[in-house]
Structures are given as structure tokens and as C-alpha cells.
Amino acid sequence: AQSVTQLGSHVSVSEGALVLLRCNYSSSVPPYLFWYVQYPNQGLQLLLKYTSAATLVKGINGFEAEFKKSETSFHLTKPSAHMRDAAEYFCASSGTSYGKLTFGQGTILTVHP
Amino acid sequence: KAGVTQTPRYLIKTRGQQVTLSCSPISGHRSVSWYQQTPGQGLQFLFEYFSETQRNKGNFPGRFSGRQFSNSRSEMNVSTLELGDSALYLCASSSRDSLGTEAFFGQGTRLTVV
């Protein structure tokens, strides 16, 4: 069965600082992994996805994530945080089940001026 | 290209009533999935439809049901509402019938049960 764990329900950074949001997955098969962002009272917006083509994945808004099989991790990073990055971020995986995503519990990112 | 459209955006219902939520996927997308989002349980998968057939179902009671029409639009129904059904219900659509295809989400329907 698929499972996704996000370490840290809240992360706070200063504007301009590095953003690091952690995600670990558990899967018996090679996973497909995704990062989504959710702004208040909105749906989920796809930031990036990993589908085994490359271990370093670049997404929108300057975010990227690196797939590390040995660590079963898919951490999300951004070199320099901006106020508009404040939102909740979700890591998700899909395995062999069509149309089903398994989500982590989410990480709320706060950006201080 | 229009995104995933969910209606209504907000809904208030009384315990014991039933409710129907609607989702129009992105044009050309044939897979529609539904999720429930609550502060306590996070995002949980309800079910997925492809070409009018339910292919996958999460661990929800039978009060939760859905269907998909020939134009790929989908509805989900919750009968005999309980207070715990208060949540944001999200619909997502996908373009291809292959594993690893990204899902595009609507803005959700906020259901409040009183």
C-alpha cells in the first residue's frame, strides 16, 4: 500500500531564505510522486511531478524536488522564499491504482518579511 | 481552456438531508476523481470514474456515491448527512488513462452540515 509522510506540519522561513519541505514515501512499486500547493479556500495546484524520467524535477514558481530512492524521499525546495509562497503544500503519490492519489498530511509554509 | 468546475462552491445542509455535488472536468478528460478534505483526516480519496465506470473506491460508507455521465461530467451524492460530513469536497480530472498522469483540481465545494 502507498503511504506518504510529510515531516513538519508547519514550516516558517524569512523572505529570501531557502524553503525545504520534506516528503517520504512508502511504496512496494516505483511510485509516481507529486507536489501540490493549496491557497486558502482554493483547490490544489500542481507544482511538479516525478515519473522516473529524471531524479531532479523542476516545477512552477521556482520550486524543484529531488527523488532519492535510497532515502525514499522527494523533498521540495526553493532557493529564495517569497511572500506569495505562503500556502499549504501537499506531497502525493500514485502507484498502480488509476485515478487515486495518496496524500501526505500537508505542510503549512509561513513566510516572514 | 477552462479548468475543472465544481458547483456549488458553498452549501449548508441539515443532518439527515442528502446532497448532490457536481463536477465538470477539463474538456477531453475522461477520468474524474473525488476527494474529501477535513482538518482532522486531511485529503482522502472517495472514488474515481472513467468512461462512466467506477474503477476505484476509497474507504467511505455507502452513503457516499457517485456517477459519471457520457460527457464525463460527474456527480457525487451523500445521503443521510452527518455532522462529520462537513468538509471541502474536491474533484480532479485527468487526461490520459495511464499511471502517473497528473490530476487537475477544481476549487472545491465547501459543505457544512448543521
Side-chain angles (χ1 to χ4, degrees), chain A residues 29 35 41 47 68 78 83 90:
Chain A
V29 299
W35 274 100
N41 296 316
L47 284 175
K68 292 186 177 180
K78 181 173 180 177
M83 297 294 288
F90 292 92

Side-chain angles (χ1 to χ4, degrees), chain B residues 48-66:
Chain B
E48 185 258 359
Y49 287 86
F50 182 84
S51 293
E52 302 180 67
T53 300
Q54 185 182 88
R55 289 196 300 188
N56 228 331
K57 190 177 189 308
N59 295 324
F60 279 82
R63 300 185 297 106
F64 292 81
S65 63

Side-chain angles (χ1 to χ4, degrees), chain A residues 31-34 36 38-46 48-51 88 90-106, chain B residues 9-10 31 33 35 37 39-45 47-48 55-58 88 90 94 96-108 110:
Chain A
Y32 300 98
L33 296 164
F34 308 83
Y36 284 88
Q38 186 177 35
Y39 298 98
N41 296 316
Q42 298 292 319
L44 303 177
Q45 180 183 9
L46 179 69
L48 50 80
K49 69 172 185 178
Y50 167 76
T51 56
E88 189 163 15
F90 292 92
C91 182
S93 75
S94 68
T96 56
S97 295
Y98 289 95
K100 176 183 178 181
L101 290 170
T102 299
F103 285 90
Q105 284 298 102
Chain B
R9 287 293 310 277
Y10 301 92
S31 170
S33 301
Y35 295 83
Q37 185 177 23
Q41 299 298 317
L43 281 153
Q44 294 187 287
F45 172 77
F47 30 64
E48 185 258 359
R55 289 196 300 188
N56 228 331
K57 190 177 189 308
L88 180 66
L90 293 165
S94 299
R96 289 181 289 133
D97 185 23
S98 59
L99 297 174
T101 302
E102 61 268 35
F104 295 89
F105 284 79
Q107 291 193 310
R110 172 77 62 184

Side-chain angles (χ1 to χ4, degrees), chain A residues 50-101:
Chain A
Y50 167 76
T51 56
S52 79
T55 56
L56 184 62
V57 182
K58 294 190 183 298
I60 63 171
N61 301 339
F63 285 95
E64 62 182 36
E66 186 173 8
F67 175 75
K68 292 186 177 180
K69 185 177 179 180
S70 60
E71 298 177 6
T72 60
S73 69
F74 189 57
H75 301 334
L76 181 72
T77 60
K78 181 173 180 177
S80 177
H82 193 279
M83 297 294 288
R84 63 175 173 260
D85 296 326
E88 189 163 15
Y89 292 79
F90 292 92
C91 182
S93 75
S94 68
T96 56
S97 295
Y98 289 95
K100 176 183 178 181
L101 290 170

Side-chain angles (χ1 to χ4, degrees), chain B residues 19-23 32-34 46-50 52-58 60-69 72-79:
Chain B
V19 66
T20 300
L21 312 182
S22 180
C23 172
V32 174
S33 301
W34 289 88
L46 281 156
F47 30 64
E48 185 258 359
Y49 287 86
F50 182 84
E52 302 180 67
T53 300
Q54 185 182 88
R55 289 196 300 188
N56 228 331
K57 190 177 189 308
F60 279 82
R63 300 185 297 106
F64 292 81
S65 63
R67 59 177 175 169
Q68 186 181 35
F69 302 95
S72 294
R73 189 177 70 85
S74 178
E75 290 181 346
M76 69 163 280
N77 184 277
V78 187
S79 62

